[in-house]
Amino acid sequence: SKGDVEWRCPNKNCTAQQTEQILHFVSRRAMDIDTIGPALIEQLMDKRLLQNAADLYLLSHEDLSGLDRMGDKSAENVLTGIDKSRQCSLSQFIHALGITNVGEKTAGILAQHFVTLEKLMSAKGEDLEKIEEIGPITAENVLCFFRNPEQKNHIYDFLARGVNPKEEQIFQISAEMVGNSIRPFK
């Protein structure tokens, strides 16, 4: 129902929650930006250089090298980590968005089913309900998330800043293909 989205988070802009969201976004199982930890996120938020995870993609060398205990080399490593994460898999990106009830496994299922971010974002309830592994509550969470204008804008910010979630490649070599390649010539 509509009401429980607001109820779950009375203040989306509270610092603790934003810090949590950014930490989840950079975590190993999400976007895997291992050069960013809680202390750095806190400093960037204090200096108003970071309000949400999409702002990571706007950080400059200057922003970072002005921080405590951040030398030239460290700043470079952080920027390299951020830059590398621009090329990510769709399932990584879906997981990183932090949709309620959507963990790594569900993100993978959604990515394989919808193949592109656009298709997932425009999915209808019945599209989600067709997916066996996804229950009604998760389907509802996914729908609410992608229908929320704030979340949509956040996603568009990521895309505008060069984050490029690639569709999932499913490599399946059929036995027939293998059989054909090793059969001796008659």
Side-chain angles (χ1 to χ4, degrees):
S1 71
K2 244 190 177 132
D4 62 17
V5 178
E6 284 79 10
W7 173 81
R8 200 174 286 122
C9 175
N11 183 6
K12 271 200 206 72
N13 300 322
C14 79
T15 316
Q17 251 201 342
Q18 282 173 319
T19 306
E20 279 307 301
Q21 284 171 339
I22 297 167
L23 268 173
H24 170 74
F25 185 83
V26 302
S27 68
R28 193 169 59 84
R29 294 180 170 286
M31 295 296 270
D32 193 19
I33 310 175
D34 60 3
T35 48
I36 297 176
L40 178 57
I41 292 171
E42 226 162 280
Q43 272 198 77
L44 289 166
M45 289 181 84
D46 286 345
K47 294 218 181 333
R48 301 248 176 275
L49 291 166
L50 200 56
Q51 270 154 13
N52 58 53
D55 292 343
L56 290 167
Y57 297 94
L58 296 175
L59 292 172
S60 69
H61 195 283
E62 214 176 327
D63 293 334
L64 293 164
S65 54
L67 300 172
D68 299 340
R69 294 192 300 276
M70 179 66 74
D72 247 15
K73 188 73 188 124
S74 303
E76 227 143 272
N77 290 342
V78 170
L79 289 173
T80 302
I82 292 170
D83 202 43
K84 249 179 36 195
S85 76
R86 283 186 162 97
Q87 301 305 320
C88 55
S89 72
L90 181 56
S91 61
Q92 266 180 306
F93 186 68
I94 295 167
H95 182 222
L97 289 173
I99 306 166
T100 310
N101 282 355
V102 177
E104 213 176 346
K105 189 174 168 239
T106 305
I109 292 165
L110 289 169
Q112 285 195 348
H113 188 85
F114 290 102
V115 186
T116 68
L117 182 61
E118 294 70 37
K119 283 185 187 149
L120 173 59
M121 285 177 76
S122 60
K124 295 178 174 57
E126 54 266 29
D127 300 330
L128 288 157
E129 282 158 28
K130 274 184 211 145
I131 307 171
E132 217 174 285
E133 302 92 333
I134 289 178
I137 293 170
T138 303
E140 175 82 7
N141 288 332
V142 171
L143 276 183
C144 285
F145 185 89
F146 289 113
R147 285 188 183 161
N148 176 333
E150 208 179 311
Q151 296 295 2
K152 270 189 186 159
N153 287 335
H154 196 197
I155 291 168
Y156 294 136
D157 285 343
F158 282 117
L159 300 177
R161 295 166 193 180
V163 178
N164 184 19
K166 280 274 177 268
E167 54 200 69
E168 305 297 303
Q169 299 289 327
I170 309 163
F171 294 107
Q172 287 173 328
I173 300 175
S174 68
E176 191 178 274
M177 280 163 63
V178 175
N180 289 342
S181 62
I182 52 179
R183 197 172 294 130
F185 292 108
K186 292 204 166 71

